[in-house]
Amino acid sequence: MSRPNRSERGARLRRRSADVRRWLERRALALTTLVTAGVLAVMLYLPVGVVFGEAVIDDGAATLAFFRAVLTDPFYVGVLADVFAEPLAVKTHLESLVGWLGAISVAVSFESPLPGVSLPVPWLALEVPPIRKGLFGFTAYQAALSTIASVALGLPAAYVLANYEFRGRRTLRSLTILPFVLPGIMVAVGFYAMFGRAGTLNQGLALVGLGPIPFIEWNPLAIVIVAHAFYNAPLVARVTVAAWESVDARSVETARSLGASPRRAFRDVVVPQLLPAILTGALLTFIFTFMTFPIVLALGGLQLATVEVWIYDRVRRLAYSEAATLAVLETLLSLALTYTYLRYESAQSGLARAATAPSRTPLFPDRRTALSPRRLAIVGYGLVTLVVFVGPLASLVVGSVTDGSGFTLAHYAFLLERQLEGASYQTLPWVAIRNSLLFGVATLAVAVPMGVVVSVVTVRAGRGGTIVDTLAMLPLAVSGVVFGIGLLRGLVFGVSLPGGWQFRVTGGVAIVAAHAVAAYPFVTRNVSPLLSTLDPALVESARALGASRYRALRDVELPLVASGIVAGAAFAFAISIGEFSSTVLLASGSQTYTMPVAVERYLGRRSGPAVAMGTVLLVVTAASFVVVDRVGGRFER
Amino acid sequence: MTELRLEGVSKVYGANGTGTSALEGVDITVRDGEFFTLVGPSGCGKTTTLRTIAGFEAPTDGTIRFDGREMGDVPPERRDVGVVFQSYALFPHMSVAENVGYGLRFREPPDGVTVDDRVADLLELVDLEGMGDRDPDQLSGGQRQRVALARALAPAPDLLLLDEPMSALDAQLRESLRRQVSRIQSELGITTVYVTHDQAEALAISDRVAVMNGGRIEQVGRPQEVYREPATRFVAEFVGDNNVFEGDVRGRNGEYSRIAIDGETFSLPSIPDGADRVTFCVRPGALSQAADHNRLPVTVETSEFLGETVRVNGRWNGRRVVLQLPAVPESAELTVGFAPDDAHVIDLDRD
């Protein structure tokens, strides 16, 4: 009699499953956080830890011998080697510093800067006695030059974008984010296609009977620096425009009414608000160019080796301890720089949206003023940017369908032929394309949830959140090559676990892990600002109405930050498509190479196939941007 | 319905309970169906009190009970409270109807009605019939606040918590919305805790009022009690205009006590024996030129015309005095007085 009938049992079962679901919902946030922390520990901290371990452990014993060897070798640290060798001999070091300073001289002379063209130019010659910079010194030197070039090229753009109105201004402003996600190796090949012996520039010169001028061989450093400016000048322009647009026009008007001239008001009110942004941009540029890899590798090779390129070379030669030691030193330096940047950024985070944005004047109001010196200067600057930014990409496309004599499809035919007839050990184009797309989608699937979880945990966590934020932002300070070594030595070669077990992650999984770890900070960077501007009362209202923390996240917060998530996803995909540094290490000798790796491998022989492959990469990257644009993503927040 | 009881609730911010103290032993009982208001200056702890009731913050010490059930670490979603915030906190990506119906995703509508009917009923209750399809950003501030109220009430909560719900609205709208909230509350008979910094609003709307200051309750009582018989100097000065004086007790005069301030003698209602110092207050309206007791000469400094009356700020013996007169005084000097029974004794002291 008392046996439960079927409907009762069904009801109980339903209640049970509802209980389970509620239990899961209540802990969903904690569980995803735990999973994210686990992935970060295994895929980020373990590899970086392995690199650090490799640098300080020799035959199972802790040692600083590797560091001593690097720090006292003039090849690495230049003149500082003596200082590291004998840090206490202060007097000797000071004397040599004074002697060096005394030998500096400045002179003005006439020189002909272009070889083969006798055009005398007054030249301010700064005679500096030679100084041995060493690998680290050179890396910092080229980073400093790149930073100066990027600021010089970026500031006029910021000025024009912030002060003038013209058709396409908003589009141009959005486009400043684009170079940042373009694959480095592709840009390097673009510069090849433009400045190389058979490049578009020399083809143009040939039309007027000049050249060919071997720009790259003649001054590879200059080309590398222009390529770095291609990447970072838009970044400088971006942060500066943002600061410029947040200057309250009323504060300038107040200064004017108090007696300041336009020039004076600009100096006293606007400039102090721009300087922090310019410094931020410069600091970021320095960090990025200090860790530069594909551009130097492709354009300069070992003769221009930066720390990063040298580490890559050491790994290729299986000198792991030396590579690890260099990697640790590089990471410590970039960590210090990144920390400075983060401190600086948070110190000026009070940057509020302007009550009244400054007004913009039309760039070309009428024909009469079109020829004013200022407007002519802007036009001239526009031409320079056209050469620097459009030139390499256009040359890439043009170079893929031309050879020395005219239009040809031979480069693409080579790719097709390789695909159809190539041996399995050769680099096949379709495999590279397929891998890139596959890894891109997989990266998206891993990096977006990770990035969102880190945002949710950090935004509402107060001071504890800052620590988590810093730990989670580590990938920004660890270069791709360093991370690649860690993955290679840690996960690909395997980690021994107690009980004779081995933990290994190889092939595509390792590459996706590397891409996801590199990409998720960009998801976080896109989502966190939106999340932190949401009224906390929204979540509290939802919870008072009966929603669990997870439901409040799903129903309220995520829909409201959707645009940030889509933008972050676009970044994640683009970074995966373009990632080169760690992929080239992990994909060596396997079937998991991607498009950027294929470009570099083709570059070894003739440049034609590499240029064609680079164009394919450009098309795929551009297509993914169009798709994201169509589904409503924005590339800025 | 529900009786709410707070017993010795304290809240300390900062690590290990060593930081700043926001609440210091708050004891409150809100009776079933009562409209109860927490009023005080900003930073007095009234919002923190509300947030501990809702479960958004855990008290460092003390207990909170709904009908005797200890709330402890019950999360907000299982407390059955409706909350309305100053910022409305409407979900901008949902329509008005979706906002009102959001709580019904987690709780069945009461009385077996459908979700749609319940949402329609509540929109009607707040005079927003037919607005369900609008987006929140198409509504005015007052309409948004009514949507927030309807949303909080939809799941038929045991307790309604209102955190400065009208501070963002202009004065006229505030008054009409206040009457509407008051009507809805008495219609539903729902136990309500209302937080405001506006003492006039608190007096106008509440069954009972708790005046808070510095994380403590200064006084709990009906609006008339709090206004006429302030328990502390803080309450006397915070609730309405007031003149607070301190004087020395100088013996009796029949049924009145004699008080000296700066050598002038005043008569006050009888004060118990043994007190030497007295603090008392006199409302501006009780000071009149016609009164023939307790006269004090006042130098007029400023006059504010308020319509029915004029508020006059002046000085007597260097002390600030506030008067409420029927017209702007014609001379800068005038003399006012007050009846002994109009003075309210706040505090007594021994030397």
Side-chain angles (χ1 to χ4, degrees):
Chain A
M1 280 298 275
S2 68
R3 173 188 283 217
N5 62 32
R6 183 170 302 174
S7 74
E8 259 181 58
R9 217 179 309 153
R12 199 180 301 160
L13 208 65
R14 262 202 305 283
R15 222 175 305 131
R16 179 91 46 86
S17 77
D19 280 349
V20 170
R21 211 187 56 224
R22 218 168 298 140
W23 186 90
L24 275 177
E25 271 190 7
R26 223 175 303 136
R27 284 159 186 79
L29 205 62
L31 288 176
T32 23
T33 309
L34 221 61
V35 171
T36 303
V39 170
L40 281 181
V42 174
M43 296 301 181
L44 174 62
Y45 286 101
L46 178 70
V48 173
V50 166
V51 175
F52 272 68
E54 198 131 332
V56 294
I57 292 172
D58 189 21
D59 276 341
T63 173
L64 286 175
F66 297 126
F67 282 101
R68 201 171 304 123
V70 166
L71 288 177
T72 55
D73 187 345
F75 173 80
Y76 289 121
V77 292
V79 289
L80 288 181
D82 290 340
V83 181
F84 284 122
E86 288 179 76
L88 294 178
V90 179
K91 188 157 173 285
T92 332
H93 302 318
L94 280 179
E95 277 168 8
S96 53
L97 179 67
V98 170
W100 182 80
L101 285 173
I104 296 180
S105 72
V106 181
V108 182
S109 62
F110 284 90
E111 301 215 353
S112 308
L114 286 174
V117 187
S118 54
L119 183 71
V121 176
W123 202 255
L124 189 71
L126 184 67
E127 286 273 333
V128 181
I131 177 167
R132 184 150 190 197
K133 291 189 279 286
L135 190 63
F136 279 93
F138 174 76
T139 307
Y141 171 69
Q142 64 83 25
L145 289 181
S146 302
T147 304
I148 292 168
S150 302
V151 172
L153 195 62
L155 282 190
Y159 167 75
V160 173
L161 286 173
N163 290 287
Y164 292 98
E165 191 56 75
F166 50 93
R167 282 183 59 169
R169 188 190 67 86
R170 293 173 63 87
T171 316
L172 210 58
R173 196 181 180 291
S174 304
L175 280 180
T176 52
I177 197 68
L178 198 61
F180 192 74
V181 289
L182 289 181
I185 191 74
M186 182 189 91
V187 172
V189 172
F191 272 80
Y192 244 109
M194 183 165 176
F195 293 101
R197 255 174 213 281
T200 43
L201 214 54
N202 273 321
Q203 285 176 22
L205 285 176
L207 288 181
V208 294
L210 285 174
I213 304 174
F215 293 103
I216 296 178
E217 293 78 359
W218 171 54
N219 195 347
L221 181 59
I223 303 294
V224 164
I225 285 165
V226 175
H228 283 163
F230 174 94
Y231 265 95
N232 295 298
L235 179 81
V236 173
R238 229 180 135 63
V239 290
T240 311
V241 168
W244 214 319
E245 285 175 347
S246 73
V247 173
D248 189 350
R250 298 278 172 271
S251 66
V252 178
E253 285 166 6
T254 307
R256 293 295 304 281
S257 70
L258 290 170
S261 66
R263 195 174 293 260
R264 190 61 201 268
F266 179 76
R267 205 182 75 201
D268 291 351
V269 178
V270 180
V271 171
Q273 299 188 56
L274 296 188
L275 269 183
I278 297 171
L279 268 172
T280 304
L283 200 54
L284 273 177
T285 303
F286 190 85
I287 295 172
F288 290 146
T289 50
F290 190 82
M291 296 194 291
T292 183
F293 177 56
I295 286 178
V296 176
L297 183 71
L299 291 173
L302 282 183
Q303 85 179 85
L304 273 191
T306 56
V307 177
E308 189 87 345
V309 173
W310 197 255
I311 294 172
Y312 171 70
D313 182 69
R314 294 296 96 184
V315 174
R316 298 296 291 266
R317 290 167 199 279
L318 306 180
Y320 289 117
S321 297
E322 199 184 341
T325 309
L326 290 171
V328 169
L329 286 173
E330 188 205 38
T331 305
L332 291 179
L333 279 172
S334 70
L335 270 179
L337 287 168
T338 309
Y339 178 76
T340 314
Y341 160 70
L342 288 175
R343 282 297 299 269
Y344 190 67
E345 193 194 35
S346 70
Q348 43 142 329
S349 61
L351 206 72
R353 192 121 291 287
T356 315
S359 62
R360 279 182 282 269
T361 49
L363 189 53
F364 294 111
D366 53 51
R367 212 160 282 164
R368 191 171 49 80
T369 53
L371 292 176
S372 69
R374 180 170 300 193
R375 269 148 180 114
L376 281 178
I378 292 174
V379 169
Y381 169 76
L383 290 177
V384 171
T385 54
L386 215 59
V387 170
V388 172
F389 292 100
V390 181
L393 297 182
S395 301
L396 188 69
V397 179
V398 171
S400 75
V401 293
T402 53
D403 56 12
S405 53
F407 181 79
T408 174
L409 285 177
H411 306 316
Y412 289 101
F414 171 87
L415 292 185
L416 199 62
E417 188 185 299
R418 174 61 68 85
Q419 176 61 39
L420 296 175
E421 294 165 15
S424 64
Y425 61 84
Q426 283 177 317
T427 304
L428 306 181
W430 170 243
V431 175
I433 296 171
R434 192 200 60 200
N435 283 344
S436 277
L437 293 175
L438 219 60
F439 295 160
V441 172
T443 300
L444 209 67
V446 180
V448 170
M450 272 174 76
V452 171
V453 166
V454 172
S455 282
V456 171
V457 172
T458 52
V459 163
R460 301 249 183 272
R463 197 181 316 159
T466 322
I467 298 166
V468 178
D469 195 31
T470 312
L471 284 178
M473 285 303 142
L474 185 69
L476 288 179
V478 177
S479 74
V481 166
V482 173
F483 187 48
I485 310 175
L487 281 174
L488 197 63
R489 299 289 284 169
L491 300 181
V492 177
F493 291 0
V495 178
S496 302
L497 296 179
W501 292 83
Q502 266 236 324
F503 178 76
R504 292 184 66 182
V505 179
T506 53
V509 178
I511 291 178
V512 169
H515 289 186
V517 167
Y520 86 85
F522 292 90
V523 179
T524 300
R525 291 259 145 189
N526 273 281
V527 172
S528 286
L530 294 180
L531 210 52
S532 63
T533 55
L534 288 188
D535 183 357
L538 287 171
V539 172
E540 288 174 348
S541 292
R543 296 207 61 187
L545 289 166
S548 63
R549 181 67 190 83
Y550 163 76
R551 278 302 293 262
L553 178 69
R554 203 187 81 185
D555 294 347
V556 178
E557 287 170 295
L558 291 189
L560 292 175
V561 300
S563 67
I565 296 176
V566 175
F571 269 109
F573 189 74
I575 282 167
S576 171
I577 293 275
E579 213 290 333
F580 176 73
S581 314
S582 54
T583 317
V584 73
L585 282 172
L586 293 170
S588 59
S590 67
Q591 291 299 306
T592 51
Y593 47 84
T594 59
M595 284 194 278
V597 176
V599 170
E600 199 266 343
R601 289 185 185 173
Y602 290 139
L603 196 61
R605 300 165 196 101
R606 292 166 294 140
S607 68
V611 170
M613 192 69 210
T615 307
V616 174
L617 180 52
L618 178 64
V619 169
V620 173
T621 310
S624 64
F625 272 87
V626 171
V627 168
V628 168
D629 197 46
R630 278 291 141 80
V631 299
R634 295 172 309 157
F635 293 105
E636 50 181 337
R637 61 172 184 76
Chain B
M1 295 277 275
T2 303
E3 181 200 71
L4 167 70
R5 194 185 280 267
L6 275 68
E7 295 162 355
V9 170
S10 301
K11 177 74 187 176
V12 180
Y13 288 107
N16 312 322
T18 54
T20 46
S21 175
L23 294 180
E24 295 175 12
V26 170
D27 293 301
I28 299 175
T29 302
V30 181
R31 296 168 198 144
D32 180 16
E34 191 174 35
F35 198 115
F36 190 89
T37 299
L38 298 170
V39 65
S42 64
C44 72
K46 55 192 191 299
T47 292
T48 307
T49 307
L50 191 90
R51 293 173 60 79
T52 57
I53 299 170
F56 300 136
E57 283 174 40
T60 317
D61 213 349
T63 51
I64 296 171
R65 294 176 197 277
F66 293 5
D67 271 343
R69 280 174 292 130
E70 199 179 320
M71 280 298 118
D73 48 7
V74 175
E77 65 264 29
R78 287 193 281 156
R79 292 198 180 197
D80 280 339
V81 294
V83 184
V84 177
F85 291 101
Q86 178 183 350
S87 62
Y88 323 131
L90 296 183
F91 306 135
H93 57 303
M94 298 184 191
S95 69
V96 166
E98 284 170 335
N99 264 286
V100 175
Y102 184 77
L104 303 173
R105 297 185 193 184
F106 310 104
R107 280 172 219 154
E108 297 280 317
D111 310 326
V113 298
T114 66
V115 169
D116 289 347
D117 286 347
R118 179 69 182 167
V119 170
D121 285 351
L122 275 147
L123 286 178
E124 195 187 322
L125 183 71
V126 297
D127 293 336
L128 289 172
E129 302 98 318
M131 302 277 236
D133 293 333
R134 303 253 183 115
D135 281 337
D137 60 8
Q138 294 172 300
L139 304 182
S140 70
Q143 288 173 325
R144 285 182 208 184
Q145 199 52 288
R146 272 140 63 196
V147 173
L149 181 64
R151 182 178 67 177
L153 290 171
D158 293 339
L159 205 59
L160 180 62
L161 307 176
L162 304 158
D163 187 5
E164 306 242 6
M166 297 169 198
S167 302
L169 303 174
D170 64 60
Q172 281 196 340
L173 197 56
R174 206 149 61 203
E175 271 187 37
S176 78
L177 192 56
R178 189 163 87 194
R179 277 192 288 278
Q180 197 171 15
V181 168
S182 186
R183 170 181 62 81
I184 290 170
Q185 193 272 338
S186 61
E187 254 177 57
L188 301 178
I190 183 173
T191 313
T192 301
V193 179
Y194 187 94
V195 162
T196 181
H197 64 271
D198 182 343
Q199 47 87 24
E201 191 171 278
L203 297 183
I205 200 171
S206 319
D207 293 330
R208 283 195 305 148
V209 173
V211 182
M212 293 189 72
N213 182 38
R216 296 171 190 277
I217 302 281
E218 295 267 336
Q219 186 176 8
V220 179
R222 290 183 296 118
Q224 303 92 305
E225 286 169 9
V226 171
Y227 186 80
R228 292 192 187 134
E229 295 154 29
T232 64
R233 184 179 183 129
F234 175 82
V235 176
E237 289 176 336
F238 183 76
V239 178
D241 286 337
N242 221 336
N243 298 293
V244 179
F245 302 105
E246 282 179 33
D248 297 318
V249 181
R250 288 287 150 81
R252 293 200 174 212
N253 180 8
E255 55 181 308
Y256 296 111
S257 291
R258 283 192 301 126
I259 307 295
I261 306 174
D262 296 346
E264 306 245 4
T265 310
F266 294 90
S267 296
L268 253 59
S270 162
I271 288 168
D273 290 333
D276 300 309
R277 300 270 305 160
V278 61
T279 307
F280 66 97
C281 62
V282 183
R283 290 283 173 193
L287 289 168
S288 93
Q289 287 169 283
D292 47 9
H293 289 84
N294 297 331
R295 298 191 50 93
L296 26 133
V298 173
T299 310
V300 175
E301 291 184 336
T302 59
S303 298
E304 298 164 60
F305 179 66
L306 303 176
E308 288 296 303
T309 61
V310 175
R311 184 196 287 141
V312 175
N313 297 295
R315 282 189 186 273
W316 164 65
N317 278 359
R319 296 160 205 272
R320 288 168 43 94
V321 179
V322 184
L323 311 175
Q324 187 185 321
L325 301 179
V328 177
E330 281 163 18
S331 69
E333 306 286 336
L334 51 89
T335 304
V336 293
F338 63 91
D341 288 328
D342 282 337
H344 169 70
V345 173
I346 299 168
D347 203 9
L348 296 173
D349 256 329
R350 275 165 205 275
D351 282 334

